Amino acid sequence: MGRIDRSALGLYLVTDRALAGKRNLETIVEEAVLGGVTMVQLREKNCSKEEYVRLGKSMKSLLDKYNVPLIINDDVEVAAVCGADGVHLGQSDTSVAMARRILGPDKIIGLSVENFDQVQQAEMLDVDYIAASPVYRTRTKKDTKTAFRPEGVEKMVRMSSHPVIGIGRMNADTAPEIIRRGADGVAVVSAIISAKNPRSAAQAIAKAVGNARANKSDKSPDRIKWSAIADLCTKDIIGRISKKPFFIEMGTGKLKYQHFHSFMIQNEWIFRQYSQMLRYLEVRTESSESAHRIDNLIMSLIHYLNDNMGPDTSRMHSFYLGESPLIRDESISPSSRALIRFMKTNIREESVGVALTTLYAYPHIVSLLGRHFAANSNNESNRYISWVNLYSSPEFSHDMQQFTKVVDTLARDSDIHRKIQMLKVYRKCSKLILSIWDSLK
């Protein structure tokens, strides 16, 4: 990522002056750093902005001597003014997008997540790590509803492309299990701040974390594939389309044919545009100076799609519309045009990986809809069964499996920023596809 090394998350100290009592906070922090703390978050809930900035600048000066990053809790303005290395945000704080605009591309942004929906949403955010908040319930985390516990942290690690830390009752006894479950580090509050000897407390936790890393199985929890995360991101869209009267009537065969004919005209027009974009991407990939295996993989996929998915779709369209149907400009909906316009922009201007993701969205969502259709409609006399049979068929599913494998490979070999862009493009295409179904009568 460039902004943060995962090792810096190993023992992450979060300050709390209330727990420090009358002792000097800077002294506690310095002792903790000497004991093995690798990152410090200054968390001040009950002081003025001016005092927060003053304390932030003092802490920054102290930590720079040890090359330890300083993160400011919640307040992006304070982080910017005191020259901190980054900010840590909660779900109700400044948005990640706004924080990134204010702090710039080189600062660290951490994000607390309180449930798995938020873990999924974080996949599309430009953050550097996420924090399971909390792992266990604690007096310092009273505003959260549930605790992840170790098994939840492991699931989070599998779901997320971002580094994961655990917070909430982390100490020398609880931290090792969280590290063994795949977390990159633990955030500690009271076990260090309240300790009579902060250096010794930090040493004990650092040793426990180090031993857990050393003894951890070489096989880390398998990360959920990019395509599975993408499906989670569009699960709601598939659900919304499946509840639309047009979709339900199509499934029962009660949809008026003129409405279905209009729908198929949109499909045919989109398919023609799609074929052109495939050819454009093929030429673009062929002209690349790189001999990278990814380029070869994309070329193989394009040829496969042209040889398999293309003819099957053409035959289904011909069945309903006849050979080479005449398509008038006025018959194409604004929503269909918006989808193709967005796709073409990405095909021309984005990386090949993002461009391929753009092409992935439409047939994949159609395939998901076809399978949903087939599972809820067994009426072979349904006049629209050919549409269902194509997009729910084992052959089409196999085609999409080949497509998915390539996209997952691209995501696996990409950095976090590229993965985020791929998800954003996929999500945007999904919303545009939903708008097409919204426009159907």
Side-chain angles (χ1 to χ4, degrees), residues 142-188:
K142 297 177 181 178
D143 55 348
T144 52
K145 295 181 180 179
T146 58
F148 281 97
R149 303 190 66 80
E151 57 272 21
V153 173
E154 182 174 343
K155 180 179 178 181
M156 183 188 295
V157 170
R158 293 185 62 243
M159 288 180 66
S160 180
S161 301
H162 304 295
V164 173
I165 62 170
I167 186 170
R169 226 165 74 209
M170 293 292 97
N171 53 50
D173 294 324
T174 58
E177 177 67 9
I178 304 309
I179 298 300
R180 286 193 291 268
R181 295 280 186 158
D184 294 278
V186 293
V188 180

Side-chain angles (χ1 to χ4, degrees), residues 56-307:
K57 288 181 176 179
S58 174
M59 200 67 73
K60 174 65 175 169
S61 178
L62 167 67
L63 294 175
D64 279 350
K65 294 190 298 184
Y66 300 100
N67 197 29
V68 170
L70 171 67
I71 306 299
I72 299 297
N73 180 264
D74 290 355
D75 200 315
V76 178
E77 183 182 353
V78 170
V81 171
C82 71
D85 297 281
V87 68
H88 183 90
L89 302 173
Q91 291 294 321
S92 60
D93 298 327
T94 304
S95 71
V96 170
M98 178 63 72
R100 181 59 70 202
R101 283 197 291 272
I102 293 171
L103 295 177
D106 300 323
K107 295 295 184 179
I108 298 166
I109 297 179
L111 180 69
S112 289
V113 291
E114 299 169 2
N115 55 56
F116 294 113
D117 285 343
Q118 291 173 3
V119 176
Q120 169 198 319
Q121 293 159 11
E123 284 298 287
M124 290 180 281
L125 300 176
D126 187 11
V127 298
D128 298 281
Y129 67 88
I130 59 174
S133 179
V135 177
Y136 299 108
R137 298 286 294 183
T138 174
R139 287 178 298 171
T140 60
K141 295 295 291 181
K142 297 177 181 178
D143 55 348
T144 52
K145 295 181 180 179
T146 58
F148 281 97
R149 303 190 66 80
E151 57 272 21
V153 173
E154 182 174 343
K155 180 179 178 181
M156 183 188 295
V157 170
R158 293 185 62 243
M159 288 180 66
S160 180
S161 301
H162 304 295
V164 173
I165 62 170
I167 186 170
R169 226 165 74 209
M170 293 292 97
N171 53 50
D173 294 324
T174 58
E177 177 67 9
I178 304 309
I179 298 300
R180 286 193 291 268
R181 295 280 186 158
D184 294 278
V186 293
V188 180
V189 189
S190 58
I192 292 177
I193 299 294
S194 297
K196 290 182 179 179
N197 189 327
R199 186 188 301 202
S200 295
Q203 285 173 337
I205 301 172
K207 182 178 179 181
V209 168
N211 288 341
R213 282 177 170 167
N215 295 325
K216 187 168 62 173
S217 167
D218 290 338
K219 188 171 189 257
S220 299
D222 292 333
R223 301 273 178 175
I224 292 180
K225 292 181 179 179
W226 181 93
S227 57
I229 297 171
D231 283 346
L232 287 172
C233 292
T234 50
K235 184 178 180 180
D236 62 319
I237 288 176
I238 298 299
R240 289 167 66 180
I241 293 175
S242 68
K243 291 180 175 63
K244 292 192 174 298
F246 187 99
F247 190 89
I248 295 170
E249 291 176 9
M250 191 171 158
T252 59
K254 295 180 180 180
L255 182 70
K256 292 182 179 180
Y257 186 74
Q258 61 264 36
H259 294 162
F260 180 76
H261 185 271
S262 175
F263 168 68
M264 287 305 301
I265 288 292
Q266 306 298 317
N267 268 11
E268 170 69 13
W269 183 79
I270 290 172
F271 175 69
R272 291 180 184 181
Q273 304 296 318
Y274 189 93
S275 298
Q276 291 175 10
M277 287 185 283
L278 267 180
R279 288 194 291 272
Y280 182 90
L281 187 58
E282 180 180 18
V283 171
R284 181 180 168 185
T285 306
E286 280 180 338
S287 63
S288 170
E289 295 181 1
S290 168
H292 195 276
R293 69 180 185 87
I294 291 297
D295 293 337
N296 295 330
L297 198 63
I298 292 173
M299 288 295 295
S300 297
L301 174 67
I302 291 172
H303 294 155
Y304 178 87
L305 295 177
N306 282 328
D307 292 343

Side-chain angles (χ1 to χ4, degrees), residues 335-401:
S335 50
S336 293
R337 294 183 186 279
L339 171 65
I340 294 303
R341 187 163 55 247
F342 178 75
M343 293 174 72
K344 284 184 174 180
T345 298
N346 282 290
I347 294 295
R348 290 192 304 266
E349 300 178 4
E350 294 293 344
S351 67
V352 174
V354 173
L356 193 67
T357 305
T358 306
L359 290 172
Y360 175 74
Y362 189 78
H364 182 58
I365 288 177
V366 169
S367 176
L368 293 175
L369 290 172
R371 278 181 274 167
H372 186 283
F373 218 144
N376 294 279
S377 175
N378 297 317
N379 184 4
E380 288 296 327
S381 64
N382 184 336
R383 71 173 82 181
Y384 310 122
I385 200 67
S386 293
W387 188 93
V388 179
N389 286 343
L390 170 62
Y391 293 124
S392 65
S393 68
E395 293 79 13
F396 198 86
S397 294
H398 181 266
D399 294 345
M400 285 312 305
Q401 286 171 8

Side-chain angles (χ1 to χ4, degrees), residues 389-424:
N389 286 343
L390 170 62
Y391 293 124
S392 65
S393 68
E395 293 79 13
F396 198 86
S397 294
H398 181 266
D399 294 345
M400 285 312 305
Q401 286 171 8
Q402 304 308 306
F403 207 153
T404 301
K405 285 180 181 178
V406 176
V407 175
D408 278 335
T409 299
L410 285 170
R412 186 194 65 207
D413 294 347
S414 298
D415 62 23
I416 184 63
H417 308 297
R418 182 65 50 77
K419 290 177 185 176
I420 290 170
Q421 183 64 14
M422 290 170 68
L423 280 171
K424 284 183 175 179

